[in-house]
């Protein structure tokens, strides 16, 4: 860090609570409500499973497209500026959407509005996410020896928001679409105001141009290919994410149409999953210290595969909720393994680009899952989930079989 940058940070003595944790909390809640609430809003407005799946696609494709660009903008302009503008833009978008739905609650105008909201909130939420992640990483570096405490707190904030956000969005949707969007707008405005307290992150050198995004992702891809252990784990988790994406995209259709539950029941599933993930992440931290990465990762992979296969054929809503929660909890354990492995293997000078490439690969299955949901008749969704569950089980089996003797997971 240069002397000029250090001086800039020194002028921001604001505590972590007001400068990092509170902005992260407001943004994470808005993030969770938009991600899980918009597809529910589409289903409630259009009554179409195809449009619900398409909305999921429209949420994720812009996120993937903007991912590298958002990182480059954060590097050039700073996390605080991007965080403020993205949060303010999301507040304005949902405010306009709420007003339109208040005037035209159904019909073509309502359908176009909710589909547009899916795309706009996807882009703006990804920009704010990259910005707050950058701010959190900078806070960890400034914390020095207490960096792990900062990251643990940020992870807890994210999981808590995932626990509360879906249930809150579903409950507000029962009152009316405008109510849910109004709360997202308030949280986004709060995040934008709190972003003004966020310390600026160190700006990248002037050489960070528009072309650096593609070059950085190419460097990250080459690094992943040069690290077999990381490559196999990313491959297994990518196949697993395809199935998880299907459960997220098809969840509203399955719960509402197949099990005859309300939209609130959909939110409860992801809140239960977030609670189970919080417990699993805490347990895995101790288990990895005692047993190592491979046994913990392999156990989580086995649980995820079995839970996924069973959830695809769940006879009632309660068993479906429990099995999806078990699937997401096991996925959380595998994510701990991935983060630990990635911190051990990726060279420091290529960490940022490799991290971006890894996240991009892991997110690619989500819009694909939305497309599958949109193209599949509601009665055939269970068969689609079963097929993807089998693919997930095979992928995780091969990945952890190849990793069984790898020194990186035995250290």
């Amino acid at each position: 860090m240069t002397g000029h940058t250090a001086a800039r940070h020194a002028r921001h003595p604001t505590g972590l609570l007001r400068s990092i944790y509170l902005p992260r909390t407001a943004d994470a809640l808005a993030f969770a409500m938009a991600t899980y609430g918009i597809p529910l809003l589409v289903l409630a407005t259009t009554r179409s499973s195809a449009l619900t799946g398409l909305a999921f696609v429209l949420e994720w494709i812009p996120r993937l497209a903007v991912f590298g660009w958002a990182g480059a903008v954060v590097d050039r302009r700073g996390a605080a500026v991007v965080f403020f503008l993205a949060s303010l833009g999301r507040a304005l978008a949902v405010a306009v959407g709420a007003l339109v739905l208040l005037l035209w609650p159904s019909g073509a105008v309502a359908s176009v509005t909710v589909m547009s909201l899916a795309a706009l909130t996807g882009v703006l939420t990804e920009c704010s996410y990259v910005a707050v992640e950058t701010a959190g990483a900078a806070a960890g570096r400034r914390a020095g020896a207490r960096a792990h405490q900062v990251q643990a707190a940020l992870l807890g904030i994210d999981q808590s928001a995932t626990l509360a956000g879906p249930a809150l969005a579903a409950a507000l949707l029962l009152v009316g679409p405008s109510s849910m969007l109004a709360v997202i707008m308030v949280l986004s405005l709060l995040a934008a105001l709190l972003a003004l307290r966020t310390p600026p992150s160190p700006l990248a050198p002037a050489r960070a141009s528009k072309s650096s995004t593609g070059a950085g992702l190419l460097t990250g891809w080459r690094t992943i290919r040069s690290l077999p252990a990381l490559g196999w784990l990313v491959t297994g988790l990518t196949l697993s994410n395809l199935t998880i994406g299907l459960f997220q995209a098809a969840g509203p259709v399955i719960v509402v149409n197949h099990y005859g539950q309300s939209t609130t029941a959909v939110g409860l599933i992801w809140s239960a999953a977030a609670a189970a993930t919080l417990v699993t992440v805490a347990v895995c931290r101790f288990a990895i210290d005692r047993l190592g990465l491979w046994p913990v990762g392999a156990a989580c992979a086995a649980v995820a595969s079995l839970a996924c296969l069973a959830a695809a054929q769940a006879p009632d809503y309660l068993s479906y909720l429990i099995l999806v929660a078990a699937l997401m909890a096991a996925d959380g354990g595998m994510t701990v393994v991935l983060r630990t492995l990635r911190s051990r293997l990726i060279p420091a000078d290529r960490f940022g680009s490799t991290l971006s490439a890894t996240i991009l690969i892991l997110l690619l299955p989500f819009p694909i899952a939305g497309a599958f949901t949109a193209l599949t008749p509601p009665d055939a969704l269970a068969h689609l989930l079963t097929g993807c569950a089998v693919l997930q089980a095979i992928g995780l089996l091969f990945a952890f079989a190849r990793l069984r003797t790898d020194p990186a997971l035995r250290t």
Side-chain angles (χ1 to χ4, degrees):
M1 183 182 294
T2 64
H4 175 69
T5 303
R8 286 194 297 131
H9 288 311
R11 293 198 298 269
H12 291 271
T14 310
L16 285 174
L17 177 63
R18 289 187 296 169
S19 62
I20 300 296
Y21 296 152
L22 286 180
R24 179 75 166 235
T25 300
D27 183 73
L29 272 173
F31 182 107
M33 289 185 67
T35 299
Y36 294 99
I38 296 297
L40 287 176
L41 178 60
V42 173
L43 181 63
T45 304
T46 65
R47 303 296 179 184
S48 170
S49 60
L51 289 179
T52 303
L54 182 58
F56 198 79
V57 175
L58 290 176
E59 273 193 322
W60 281 103
I61 285 183
R63 292 185 183 188
L64 298 180
V66 82
F67 188 83
W69 174 82
V73 172
V74 169
D75 285 341
R76 290 197 301 270
R77 303 299 181 188
V81 174
V82 176
F83 185 22
F84 171 77
L85 293 176
S87 299
L88 184 61
R90 182 174 57 204
L92 293 175
V94 296
V96 172
L99 180 61
V100 172
L101 291 178
L102 197 60
L103 298 175
W104 294 280
S106 61
V109 174
S111 299
V112 171
T113 300
V114 293
M115 300 302 286
S116 300
L117 274 177
L120 282 173
T121 55
V123 170
L124 295 169
T125 297
E126 188 59 48
C127 290
S128 67
Y129 174 75
V130 172
V132 295
E133 277 289 291
T134 303
R141 287 192 294 270
R142 288 193 295 271
R146 296 185 296 109
H148 65 285
Q149 298 176 9
V150 174
Q151 296 304 321
L154 294 176
L155 180 62
I157 289 171
D158 290 342
Q159 289 299 321
S160 298
T162 306
L163 175 65
L168 180 59
L172 289 169
L173 192 57
L174 292 177
V175 180
S178 297
S179 300
M180 185 191 76
L181 294 176
V183 173
I184 297 176
M185 179 195 69
V186 171
L187 289 170
S188 299
L189 282 176
L190 180 60
L193 292 174
L194 292 172
L196 301 176
R197 300 176 178 269
T198 303
S201 57
L203 296 180
R207 65 176 182 272
S209 62
K210 294 182 180 179
S211 62
S212 64
T213 299
L217 292 177
L218 182 59
T219 299
W221 169 246
R222 288 172 176 169
T223 304
I224 293 173
R225 291 184 60 187
S226 68
L227 300 170
L230 182 63
W232 276 107
L233 187 55
V234 168
T235 300
L237 288 177
T238 300
L239 292 175
S240 181
N241 279 355
L242 176 62
T243 308
I244 291 173
L246 276 173
F247 275 102
Q248 290 184 0
V253 180
I254 293 174
V255 173
V256 175
N257 293 349
H258 182 67
Y259 293 121
Q261 302 293 320
S262 67
T263 54
T264 305
V266 182
L268 288 177
I269 289 177
W270 300 112
S271 296
T277 302
L278 274 173
V279 175
T280 302
V281 168
V283 171
C284 284
R285 289 173 181 171
F286 296 101
I288 290 172
D289 288 337
R290 294 180 176 274
L291 303 175
L293 285 174
W294 190 88
V296 174
C300 289
V303 172
S305 300
L306 293 174
C308 190
L309 287 166
Q313 304 296 327
D316 53 49
Y317 170 75
L318 180 60
S319 59
Y320 181 82
L321 182 149
I322 293 172
L323 290 168
V324 171
L327 166 63
M328 297 305 297
D331 181 74
M334 290 190 289
T335 302
V336 174
V337 173
L338 172 64
R339 290 187 175 185
T340 306
L341 184 66
R342 153 175 104 185
S343 65
R344 289 180 180 179
L345 295 182
I346 301 175
D349 60 336
R350 285 174 279 168
F351 190 87
S353 59
T354 308
L355 176 63
S356 297
T358 301
I359 295 175
L360 187 60
I361 293 170
L362 292 174
L363 291 181
L364 279 173
F366 287 94
I368 297 174
F372 283 167
T373 302
L375 296 173
T376 304
D379 294 339
L381 284 175
H383 301 296
L384 177 63
L385 286 170
T386 301
C388 287
V390 172
L391 181 63
Q392 175 203 37
I394 294 173
L396 290 175
L397 175 63
F398 271 96
F400 280 94
R402 292 295 298 266
L403 294 171
R404 185 172 61 87
T405 57
D406 196 292
L409 274 82
R410 290 293 183 181
T411 305

